[in-house]
Amino acid sequence: MIDRLFIFLQQLAVLYAAASTTLPPSSTSTTSATTTATATTTATTTSITTTTTTTTTTTTTPRNCEEMNTVCLQGGPDGKQHYMGNVMVGGSPVCDDSWNLVDATVACRELGFYTAKKFFRESKFGNVSTNYRMDNVKCNGTEQRLTYCPHSTQDDCDRTEAAGVECDTRDFSDILNSTCFELDVSYTFGDSIGEAENVDTSAACQNICQNSSACTHFSYYPDLKRCYQKTGNAKTFKNGAISGPKFCTNETTEAPPVCFEYGTGYNYGQYLDYFSAEGPSMCQARCQNYNGCLYFSYYNSNKECYMKTGNEMRRSHADVVSGPRFCPGDPEGTSNSSKSNAKCYQDSVLCLLGAGSESEGNVYIGGSPVCDDSWDMKDGAIVCKELGFHGVTRITKESAYGKVSTNFAMDNVECEGTEEKLSDCVHNSDDDCGTSEGAGVVCDTRSKEEIDAEKALVQRCFDEGVTYNYGDYLDFEVSHSAIACQKHCLAHADCTHFSFYQESGKCYRKTGNEKKNADGAVSGPRNCSDPNYTANPSASTTPRTCASPGGICLRGGNTPNEGNIFVQNRPVCDDDWTLVNAHVACKQLGYIGALSFTKESRFGTFGSNFIMDQVTCDGTEERLIDCEHSSSHDCGGGEAAGVVCDTKSEDEENVEELTCFDPGVSYSPGRYIDTEVVSSAYDCQIHCRSHSECTFFTFYSDTHKCFRKTSNSPFPTALATSGPRYCSNQTSNGTSTNEQPLPPRNCNSPGVVCLKQGGSPDEGNVFVGGRPVCDDSWDVRDARVVCRELGYVDVLETYDESHFGSVDDNFAMDNVECSGHETSLELCSHSTSDDCGRGEGAGVKCDNGTQVEIPQACNATNKICLIGGSGDHEGNVYFQGKPVCDDGWTFANAQIVCTSLGFKEAVRATKESEFGIVPSGFGATDVNCHGIEPNLQNCRFDKSSINCNRMEGAGVVCNKVTEEAPVAPASSSSALVPTIFIIIIVVGLLGVAWFYRYKIQMFVSREVMVRMSGNNPLI
């Protein structure tokens, strides 16, 4: 028996060592067995070397796609299957939940490409099987294999939710063979001292820079074969661009510190976090920037840098270099400028880290980063002011200078501009931010005199708050200032004027100066000393005709200001069409903005040769064609987007703002749904109307931030303007009272979804093209697609069995199976044949945006409120002003809520928004209390992955104990506890008695005989 056990343990050790070959060095478990550790180390080294090779050289060996953890692509177009398709791992698909470009890049690098060009969702390359290998993939971009990325092996995905990629097949040999070139980066974007055409490689572009005495850096665009000569290296993301210095050899290589240990890893398998770094010295600098890091381990083969808390449990590994946070004898933080100073870790000290410069970097306070939620130029200005600079050039988000730790010092920072320190600004100390959400700044290093001189030039020569030739321009770039935009115009002979937008950084080259008011814009001539410059007569912008590039017009409406939208004489598809998109279209047409938007070819059907689909505007674009969009589509003739434009003049708009808006007032400070950057208070009202829960707004003219609100408690605030969702001369559907209503939905048109037989427009049986939908397999995902297609936020209830009345038996669809992401019900999997009767119609009730007023006091930290009940003892549960989802809601959770509110106990827990509909922004789900916690915040809960609708609010009914109305024991579940306890004891005693029944019987018989003998003298 002992021998068999020993053999089993030996086999287990061998299997463990073999399994370790699939793990990265950071993930391999430690073991006290010397042989196992050696086998693991050897196998891991082999794995890393193989992977590194495939990331730099396109492999030609056929891949065994059925082999465990092997990545392959499936379903791509003919001739493109090797770089385009649905992602498969070991022959099983990967689900598209949370799939993004970072994940796609890891997959492409594993396939031998340098990077990914695009990522796809919803089984772009054909439906897949449902035996998913991975779900919720969350790569950080440094992983060597896709399976190394954090992910879930459980999924809730169907055949239409496969992740896909298109890998970048371009030749990046210049990047791979250079030590100083950077990909997807442009230097001093929009500010060049020269350019050259027909340049074949980035190396040739560097040679051009070397032949110019003034050039210090270059940026090269392979697609255009264009080379720009630069005098600086301020970085801007530009897809496909390659940039670098004049001479790579000018960069000195710092000798590695003597305190580093080569071939040794610290605390093997245990680490705080890991990043990508260029060499052990930069890894040490990372450790110095990371709160809690005392040591580091760096792997040369994959450039992974691990943050450690100790240097024990050492393991030999030829690939690794380890060391302390600071070398002995090196004053902390003074080793060199690329390493953070020790002072940055002192309480309340503000620092910029990650860029190797005192004037730019991610923002840290006391060694902890600042989150980029709500981060804007005003916040950046306070940072630069506190650091001793006289201005801010630009702000950065998404950890532009490297990933940060997750122990954030501040979130949702809102500076007014008068503060002396960043810590004086309004902010949250709690956060929901990740390592890629660090806020940053680039401070203006010029003297105050230089900055003032530029401001004087702007005041003398430029027009502030004005744009030129709105919608007509030669092209646009991204610049960091109006001066840089003017230089960009000056570098092109066809440019006579420019318009620059501070918040978006967009710089438009123009050929005229017809003025139009636009808050946040700065415009001017190409040369202040020659304002009458005339361009070559052949250089001109495109005329405003519907057939010209970018041209736009409306068709089908009863008046000129309404209709379906056409760009270059082709319709625009209504997928993801919003009021903000409509606003851009109307402004391009010369109107002040949009009143409403339409879908489903509301103004008639004009064919299906769509030019744009899935349009996503941010509101700052001058032409609709400039908005993000897809040039391919899956739309039919009944899916054209439309608008109704506002016919008021700018003067009438100004009058309306004076009579409807509140200047110098902000509504309910600190409480808002979300925020956007817009150009004016009127635009802010448009954004408010595009959100179903927004009833009021506040616009700040200095930062151009628009806050969507649900309440209007006034507070005097300079530079703020607030107002309602609609002014008095507008109806709830967004149209002016003196205008004709929109044409009704053509419910009989093929593909058009309508609700019929309901008591209100937001409910009813579902009809497609005038025919009912059968309720077989009808569920909330199908209903959600219907409601969103009709313009509602979400679904509240699903119904079957012709809930709203009998339907005809000529069904349009049966066995509908939506994933929930489709833009139209017709895109869902379904059958056109059916076996349904008149009593089997599918139905829905949609969320029409009913508002719920939440008292201001409920927004306090850890505050619990009950709202909607008949008294303060019952209601839906709100935590810190947000509802709690009823997923996992139990009586134990209700008990903690009631006792923390001062009640004796809970009577019952409620679900499904029993006390009325709740807002859609939930604060917690899957609450799990044990019953001993002092408050709800001490229970476990999830606030990151909430999938609840407004009819899923958790609630409670608490027991209100008073002398006049004592609580009957039967009314509380706690009264059952002693009863159950007594029953258990009785049952237990009976069980013992039954087990010893014969002994008890003998004992009783003996006692009876004894007692009888005492009373009988004859015995």
Side-chain angles (χ1 to χ4, degrees), residues 865-878 897-898 901 903 907-908 910 914-915 954-960:
C865 289
L866 303 182
I867 298 177
S870 61
D872 59 359
H873 67 291
E874 65 178 15
N876 293 323
V877 178
Y878 286 72
V897 170
C898 290
L901 290 174
F903 298 105
V907 175
R908 62 187 176 93
T910 68
E914 182 171 319
F915 298 98
V956 297
V957 177
C958 300
N959 195 353
K960 225 176 162 183

PDB file of all heavy atoms in Angstrom, residues 865-878 897-898 901 903 907-908 910 914-915 954-960:
ATOM      1  N   CYS A 865     -30.763  54.344   1.773  1.00  0.00           N
ATOM      2  CA  CYS A 865     -32.091  54.943   1.767  1.00  0.00           C
ATOM      3  C   CYS A 865     -33.104  53.932   1.250  1.00  0.00           C
ATOM      4  O   CYS A 865     -32.777  53.073   0.421  1.00  0.00           O
ATOM      5  CB  CYS A 865     -32.137  56.193   0.875  1.00  0.00           C
ATOM      6  SG  CYS A 865     -31.242  57.617   1.550  1.00  0.00           S
ATOM      7  N   LEU A 866     -34.324  54.064   1.736  1.00  0.00           N
ATOM      8  CA  LEU A 866     -35.451  53.288   1.224  1.00  0.00           C
ATOM      9  C   LEU A 866     -36.401  54.252   0.529  1.00  0.00           C
ATOM     10  O   LEU A 866     -36.864  55.217   1.140  1.00  0.00           O
ATOM     11  CB  LEU A 866     -36.170  52.551   2.357  1.00  0.00           C
ATOM     12  CG  LEU A 866     -35.303  51.611   3.206  1.00  0.00           C
ATOM     13  CD1 LEU A 866     -36.153  50.919   4.261  1.00  0.00           C
ATOM     14  CD2 LEU A 866     -34.598  50.586   2.343  1.00  0.00           C
ATOM     15  N   ILE A 867     -36.680  54.018  -0.743  1.00  0.00           N
ATOM     16  CA  ILE A 867     -37.474  54.946  -1.549  1.00  0.00           C
ATOM     17  C   ILE A 867     -38.630  54.196  -2.201  1.00  0.00           C
ATOM     18  O   ILE A 867     -38.449  53.077  -2.705  1.00  0.00           O
ATOM     19  CB  ILE A 867     -36.607  55.621  -2.626  1.00  0.00           C
ATOM     20  CG1 ILE A 867     -35.490  56.449  -1.976  1.00  0.00           C
ATOM     21  CG2 ILE A 867     -37.431  56.500  -3.552  1.00  0.00           C
ATOM     22  CD1 ILE A 867     -34.532  57.095  -2.957  1.00  0.00           C
ATOM     23  N   GLY A 868     -39.809  54.840  -2.190  1.00  0.00           N
ATOM     24  CA  GLY A 868     -40.961  54.289  -2.894  1.00  0.00           C
ATOM     25  C   GLY A 868     -41.983  53.614  -2.009  1.00  0.00           C
ATOM     26  O   GLY A 868     -43.091  53.298  -2.467  1.00  0.00           O
ATOM     27  N   GLY A 869     -41.655  53.362  -0.745  1.00  0.00           N
ATOM     28  CA  GLY A 869     -42.584  52.669   0.137  1.00  0.00           C
ATOM     29  C   GLY A 869     -43.597  53.605   0.761  1.00  0.00           C
ATOM     30  O   GLY A 869     -43.580  54.822   0.561  1.00  0.00           O
ATOM     31  N   SER A 870     -44.492  53.021   1.568  1.00  0.00           N
ATOM     32  CA  SER A 870     -45.532  53.819   2.234  1.00  0.00           C
ATOM     33  C   SER A 870     -45.003  54.562   3.445  1.00  0.00           C
ATOM     34  O   SER A 870     -45.674  55.433   3.994  1.00  0.00           O
ATOM     35  CB  SER A 870     -46.685  52.900   2.657  1.00  0.00           C
ATOM     36  OG  SER A 870     -46.218  51.914   3.575  1.00  0.00           O
ATOM     37  N   GLY A 871     -43.818  54.203   3.907  1.00  0.00           N
ATOM     38  CA  GLY A 871     -43.191  54.879   5.038  1.00  0.00           C
ATOM     39  C   GLY A 871     -41.698  54.656   5.012  1.00  0.00           C
ATOM     40  O   GLY A 871     -41.157  54.026   4.096  1.00  0.00           O
ATOM     41  N   ASP A 872     -41.001  55.156   6.057  1.00  0.00           N
ATOM     42  CA  ASP A 872     -39.551  55.042   6.058  1.00  0.00           C
ATOM     43  C   ASP A 872     -39.068  53.643   6.389  1.00  0.00           C
ATOM     44  O   ASP A 872     -37.871  53.364   6.379  1.00  0.00           O
ATOM     45  CB  ASP A 872     -38.941  56.044   7.044  1.00  0.00           C
ATOM     46  CG  ASP A 872     -39.433  55.827   8.476  1.00  0.00           C
ATOM     47  OD1 ASP A 872     -40.264  54.915   8.701  1.00  0.00           O
ATOM     48  OD2 ASP A 872     -38.979  56.567   9.371  1.00  0.00           O
ATOM     49  N   HIS A 873     -39.992  52.709   6.680  1.00  0.00           N
ATOM     50  CA  HIS A 873     -39.621  51.346   7.043  1.00  0.00           C
ATOM     51  C   HIS A 873     -39.593  50.397   5.850  1.00  0.00           C
ATOM     52  O   HIS A 873     -39.254  49.219   6.000  1.00  0.00           O
ATOM     53  CB  HIS A 873     -40.602  50.805   8.093  1.00  0.00           C
ATOM     54  CG  HIS A 873     -41.985  50.609   7.549  1.00  0.00           C
ATOM     55  ND1 HIS A 873     -42.788  51.678   7.197  1.00  0.00           N
ATOM     56  CD2 HIS A 873     -42.694  49.481   7.267  1.00  0.00           C
ATOM     57  CE1 HIS A 873     -43.946  51.217   6.737  1.00  0.00           C
ATOM     58  NE2 HIS A 873     -43.906  49.889   6.775  1.00  0.00           N
ATOM     59  N   GLU A 874     -39.927  50.881   4.653  1.00  0.00           N
ATOM     60  CA  GLU A 874     -39.963  49.996   3.498  1.00  0.00           C
ATOM     61  C   GLU A 874     -39.636  50.787   2.233  1.00  0.00           C
ATOM     62  O   GLU A 874     -39.777  52.009   2.186  1.00  0.00           O
ATOM     63  CB  GLU A 874     -41.331  49.331   3.355  1.00  0.00           C
ATOM     64  CG  GLU A 874     -42.467  50.309   3.053  1.00  0.00           C
ATOM     65  CD  GLU A 874     -43.803  49.613   2.868  1.00  0.00           C
ATOM     66  OE1 GLU A 874     -43.918  48.432   3.247  1.00  0.00           O
ATOM     67  OE2 GLU A 874     -44.741  50.256   2.361  1.00  0.00           O
ATOM     68  N   GLY A 875     -39.232  50.053   1.194  1.00  0.00           N
ATOM     69  CA  GLY A 875     -38.943  50.690  -0.083  1.00  0.00           C
ATOM     70  C   GLY A 875     -37.836  49.956  -0.827  1.00  0.00           C
ATOM     71  O   GLY A 875     -37.233  48.993  -0.326  1.00  0.00           O
ATOM     72  N   ASN A 876     -37.568  50.420  -2.054  1.00  0.00           N
ATOM     73  CA  ASN A 876     -36.416  49.918  -2.793  1.00  0.00           C
ATOM     74  C   ASN A 876     -35.143  50.427  -2.128  1.00  0.00           C
ATOM     75  O   ASN A 876     -35.096  51.572  -1.660  1.00  0.00           O
ATOM     76  CB  ASN A 876     -36.466  50.379  -4.250  1.00  0.00           C
ATOM     77  CG  ASN A 876     -37.616  49.765  -5.011  1.00  0.00           C
ATOM     78  OD1 ASN A 876     -37.958  48.598  -4.800  1.00  0.00           O
ATOM     79  ND2 ASN A 876     -38.220  50.529  -5.905  1.00  0.00           N
ATOM     80  N   VAL A 877     -34.114  49.613  -2.105  1.00  0.00           N
ATOM     81  CA  VAL A 877     -32.876  49.957  -1.400  1.00  0.00           C
ATOM     82  C   VAL A 877     -31.952  50.750  -2.323  1.00  0.00           C
ATOM     83  O   VAL A 877     -31.673  50.319  -3.445  1.00  0.00           O
ATOM     84  CB  VAL A 877     -32.161  48.685  -0.906  1.00  0.00           C
ATOM     85  CG1 VAL A 877     -30.845  49.041  -0.218  1.00  0.00           C
ATOM     86  CG2 VAL A 877     -33.052  47.908   0.051  1.00  0.00           C
ATOM     87  N   TYR A 878     -31.468  51.894  -1.819  1.00  0.00           N
ATOM     88  CA  TYR A 878     -30.490  52.718  -2.524  1.00  0.00           C
ATOM     89  C   TYR A 878     -29.240  52.826  -1.657  1.00  0.00           C
ATOM     90  O   TYR A 878     -29.328  53.094  -0.454  1.00  0.00           O
ATOM     91  CB  TYR A 878     -31.032  54.120  -2.807  1.00  0.00           C
ATOM     92  CG  TYR A 878     -32.064  54.165  -3.907  1.00  0.00           C
ATOM     93  CD1 TYR A 878     -33.344  53.663  -3.706  1.00  0.00           C
ATOM     94  CD2 TYR A 878     -31.760  54.701  -5.154  1.00  0.00           C
ATOM     95  CE1 TYR A 878     -34.293  53.685  -4.717  1.00  0.00           C
ATOM     96  CE2 TYR A 878     -32.701  54.733  -6.174  1.00  0.00           C
ATOM     97  CZ  TYR A 878     -33.957  54.224  -5.945  1.00  0.00           C
ATOM     98  OH  TYR A 878     -34.893  54.250  -6.957  1.00  0.00           O
ATOM     99  N   VAL A 897     -29.768  45.618   6.140  1.00  0.00           N
ATOM    100  CA  VAL A 897     -30.286  46.938   5.779  1.00  0.00           C
ATOM    101  C   VAL A 897     -31.166  47.485   6.892  1.00  0.00           C
ATOM    102  O   VAL A 897     -31.028  48.642   7.331  1.00  0.00           O
ATOM    103  CB  VAL A 897     -31.065  46.860   4.450  1.00  0.00           C
ATOM    104  CG1 VAL A 897     -31.820  48.164   4.204  1.00  0.00           C
ATOM    105  CG2 VAL A 897     -30.127  46.574   3.293  1.00  0.00           C
ATOM    106  N   CYS A 898     -32.090  46.673   7.374  1.00  0.00           N
ATOM    107  CA  CYS A 898     -33.045  47.145   8.382  1.00  0.00           C
ATOM    108  C   CYS A 898     -32.365  47.484   9.705  1.00  0.00           C
ATOM    109  O   CYS A 898     -32.634  48.522  10.315  1.00  0.00           O
ATOM    110  CB  CYS A 898     -34.137  46.100   8.591  1.00  0.00           C
ATOM    111  SG  CYS A 898     -35.266  45.927   7.184  1.00  0.00           S
ATOM    112  N   LEU A 901     -30.449  50.658   9.652  1.00  0.00           N
ATOM    113  CA  LEU A 901     -31.311  51.841   9.635  1.00  0.00           C
ATOM    114  C   LEU A 901     -32.014  52.068  10.974  1.00  0.00           C
ATOM    115  O   LEU A 901     -32.827  52.975  11.094  1.00  0.00           O
ATOM    116  CB  LEU A 901     -32.356  51.707   8.518  1.00  0.00           C
ATOM    117  CG  LEU A 901     -31.830  51.812   7.081  1.00  0.00           C
ATOM    118  CD1 LEU A 901     -32.937  51.504   6.084  1.00  0.00           C
ATOM    119  CD2 LEU A 901     -31.258  53.195   6.813  1.00  0.00           C
ATOM    120  N   PHE A 903     -33.968  49.771  12.669  1.00  0.00           N
ATOM    121  CA  PHE A 903     -35.123  48.915  12.914  1.00  0.00           C
ATOM    122  C   PHE A 903     -34.673  47.628  13.592  1.00  0.00           C
ATOM    123  O   PHE A 903     -33.507  47.225  13.498  1.00  0.00           O
ATOM    124  CB  PHE A 903     -35.853  48.614  11.599  1.00  0.00           C
ATOM    125  CG  PHE A 903     -36.385  49.845  10.932  1.00  0.00           C
ATOM    126  CD1 PHE A 903     -35.751  50.357   9.806  1.00  0.00           C
ATOM    127  CD2 PHE A 903     -37.500  50.512  11.424  1.00  0.00           C
ATOM    128  CE1 PHE A 903     -36.222  51.491   9.185  1.00  0.00           C
ATOM    129  CE2 PHE A 903     -37.972  51.648  10.807  1.00  0.00           C
ATOM    130  CZ  PHE A 903     -37.332  52.145   9.681  1.00  0.00           C
ATOM    131  N   VAL A 907     -38.798  42.169   7.912  1.00  0.00           N
ATOM    132  CA  VAL A 907     -39.975  41.318   7.750  1.00  0.00           C
ATOM    133  C   VAL A 907     -39.814  40.461   6.503  1.00  0.00           C
ATOM    134  O   VAL A 907     -40.042  39.266   6.521  1.00  0.00           O
ATOM    135  CB  VAL A 907     -41.263  42.163   7.669  1.00  0.00           C
ATOM    136  CG1 VAL A 907     -42.476  41.290   7.380  1.00  0.00           C
ATOM    137  CG2 VAL A 907     -41.464  42.947   8.955  1.00  0.00           C
ATOM    138  N   ARG A 908     -39.367  41.089   5.401  1.00  0.00           N
ATOM    139  CA  ARG A 908     -39.147  40.324   4.178  1.00  0.00           C
ATOM    140  C   ARG A 908     -38.250  41.117   3.221  1.00  0.00           C
ATOM    141  O   ARG A 908     -38.130  42.343   3.337  1.00  0.00           O
ATOM    142  CB  ARG A 908     -40.470  39.961   3.486  1.00  0.00           C
ATOM    143  CG  ARG A 908     -41.296  41.141   3.029  1.00  0.00           C
ATOM    144  CD  ARG A 908     -42.661  40.673   2.519  1.00  0.00           C
ATOM    145  NE  ARG A 908     -43.506  41.794   2.152  1.00  0.00           N
ATOM    146  CZ  ARG A 908     -43.594  42.291   0.922  1.00  0.00           C
ATOM    147  NH1 ARG A 908     -42.889  41.733  -0.059  1.00  0.00           N
ATOM    148  NH2 ARG A 908     -44.384  43.309   0.661  1.00  0.00           N
ATOM    149  N   THR A 910     -37.622  42.086  -0.810  1.00  0.00           N
ATOM    150  CA  THR A 910     -38.436  42.215  -2.017  1.00  0.00           C
ATOM    151  C   THR A 910     -37.540  42.285  -3.246  1.00  0.00           C
ATOM    152  O   THR A 910     -36.372  42.667  -3.166  1.00  0.00           O
ATOM    153  CB  THR A 910     -39.324  43.471  -1.966  1.00  0.00           C
ATOM    154  OG1 THR A 910     -38.497  44.645  -2.045  1.00  0.00           O
ATOM    155  CG2 THR A 910     -40.136  43.513  -0.677  1.00  0.00           C
ATOM    156  N   GLU A 914     -40.372  46.215  -6.443  1.00  0.00           N
ATOM    157  CA  GLU A 914     -41.725  46.152  -5.881  1.00  0.00           C
ATOM    158  C   GLU A 914     -42.257  47.527  -5.519  1.00  0.00           C
ATOM    159  O   GLU A 914     -43.464  47.771  -5.562  1.00  0.00           O
ATOM    160  CB  GLU A 914     -41.733  45.241  -4.650  1.00  0.00           C
ATOM    161  CG  GLU A 914     -43.109  45.077  -4.021  1.00  0.00           C
ATOM    162  CD  GLU A 914     -43.143  44.016  -2.954  1.00  0.00           C
ATOM    163  OE1 GLU A 914     -42.526  42.946  -3.141  1.00  0.00           O
ATOM    164  OE2 GLU A 914     -43.806  44.254  -1.929  1.00  0.00           O
ATOM    165  N   PHE A 915     -41.372  48.442  -5.173  1.00  0.00           N
ATOM    166  CA  PHE A 915     -41.809  49.774  -4.743  1.00  0.00           C
ATOM    167  C   PHE A 915     -41.638  50.821  -5.849  1.00  0.00           C
ATOM    168  O   PHE A 915     -41.441  52.001  -5.577  1.00  0.00           O
ATOM    169  CB  PHE A 915     -41.049  50.189  -3.480  1.00  0.00           C
ATOM    170  CG  PHE A 915     -41.302  49.282  -2.320  1.00  0.00           C
ATOM    171  CD1 PHE A 915     -40.403  48.266  -2.006  1.00  0.00           C
ATOM    172  CD2 PHE A 915     -42.458  49.407  -1.566  1.00  0.00           C
ATOM    173  CE1 PHE A 915     -40.638  47.416  -0.941  1.00  0.00           C
ATOM    174  CE2 PHE A 915     -42.707  48.559  -0.498  1.00  0.00           C
ATOM    175  CZ  PHE A 915     -41.801  47.547  -0.187  1.00  0.00           C
ATOM    176  N   ALA A 954     -33.769  45.852  -5.755  1.00  0.00           N
ATOM    177  CA  ALA A 954     -33.935  45.129  -4.494  1.00  0.00           C
ATOM    178  C   ALA A 954     -34.611  46.034  -3.472  1.00  0.00           C
ATOM    179  O   ALA A 954     -34.412  47.253  -3.471  1.00  0.00           O
ATOM    180  CB  ALA A 954     -32.587  44.663  -3.977  1.00  0.00           C
ATOM    181  N   GLY A 955     -35.395  45.445  -2.578  1.00  0.00           N
ATOM    182  CA  GLY A 955     -36.090  46.236  -1.572  1.00  0.00           C
ATOM    183  C   GLY A 955     -36.254  45.478  -0.271  1.00  0.00           C
ATOM    184  O   GLY A 955     -35.899  44.294  -0.171  1.00  0.00           O
ATOM    185  N   VAL A 956     -36.789  46.156   0.729  1.00  0.00           N
ATOM    186  CA  VAL A 956     -37.011  45.540   2.037  1.00  0.00           C
ATOM    187  C   VAL A 956     -38.302  46.068   2.656  1.00  0.00           C
ATOM    188  O   VAL A 956     -38.786  47.160   2.309  1.00  0.00           O
ATOM    189  CB  VAL A 956     -35.851  45.829   3.017  1.00  0.00           C
ATOM    190  CG1 VAL A 956     -34.547  45.244   2.527  1.00  0.00           C
ATOM    191  CG2 VAL A 956     -35.710  47.322   3.262  1.00  0.00           C
ATOM    192  N   VAL A 957     -38.846  45.288   3.558  1.00  0.00           N
ATOM    193  CA  VAL A 957     -39.887  45.734   4.485  1.00  0.00           C
ATOM    194  C   VAL A 957     -39.347  45.472   5.872  1.00  0.00           C
ATOM    195  O   VAL A 957     -39.099  44.313   6.242  1.00  0.00           O
ATOM    196  CB  VAL A 957     -41.221  44.997   4.271  1.00  0.00           C
ATOM    197  CG1 VAL A 957     -42.239  45.447   5.303  1.00  0.00           C
ATOM    198  CG2 VAL A 957     -41.758  45.233   2.868  1.00  0.00           C
ATOM    199  N   CYS A 958     -39.094  46.525   6.647  1.00  0.00           N
ATOM    200  CA  CYS A 958     -38.526  46.395   7.985  1.00  0.00           C
ATOM    201  C   CYS A 958     -39.627  46.339   9.030  1.00  0.00           C
ATOM    202  O   CYS A 958     -40.735  46.864   8.837  1.00  0.00           O
ATOM    203  CB  CYS A 958     -37.580  47.566   8.279  1.00  0.00           C
ATOM    204  SG  CYS A 958     -36.188  47.696   7.136  1.00  0.00           S
ATOM    205  N   ASN A 959     -39.325  45.716  10.162  1.00  0.00           N
ATOM    206  CA  ASN A 959     -40.271  45.597  11.266  1.00  0.00           C
ATOM    207  C   ASN A 959     -40.173  46.833  12.138  1.00  0.00           C
ATOM    208  O   ASN A 959     -39.168  47.065  12.796  1.00  0.00           O
ATOM    209  CB  ASN A 959     -39.951  44.339  12.082  1.00  0.00           C
ATOM    210  CG  ASN A 959     -41.104  43.975  13.000  1.00  0.00           C
ATOM    211  OD1 ASN A 959     -42.063  44.721  13.116  1.00  0.00           O
ATOM    212  ND2 ASN A 959     -40.984  42.827  13.645  1.00  0.00           N
ATOM    213  N   LYS A 960     -41.241  47.607  12.138  1.00  0.00           N
ATOM    214  CA  LYS A 960     -41.264  48.854  12.893  1.00  0.00           C
ATOM    215  C   LYS A 960     -41.836  48.572  14.274  1.00  0.00           C
ATOM    216  O   LYS A 960     -43.042  48.456  14.426  1.00  0.00           O
ATOM    217  CB  LYS A 960     -42.115  49.869  12.144  1.00  0.00           C
ATOM    218  CG  LYS A 960     -41.503  51.234  12.062  1.00  0.00           C
ATOM    219  CD  LYS A 960     -42.359  52.141  11.232  1.00  0.00           C
ATOM    220  CE  LYS A 960     -41.984  53.577  11.515  1.00  0.00           C
ATOM    221  NZ  LYS A 960     -42.826  54.510  10.796  1.00  0.00           N
TER     222      LYS A 960
END
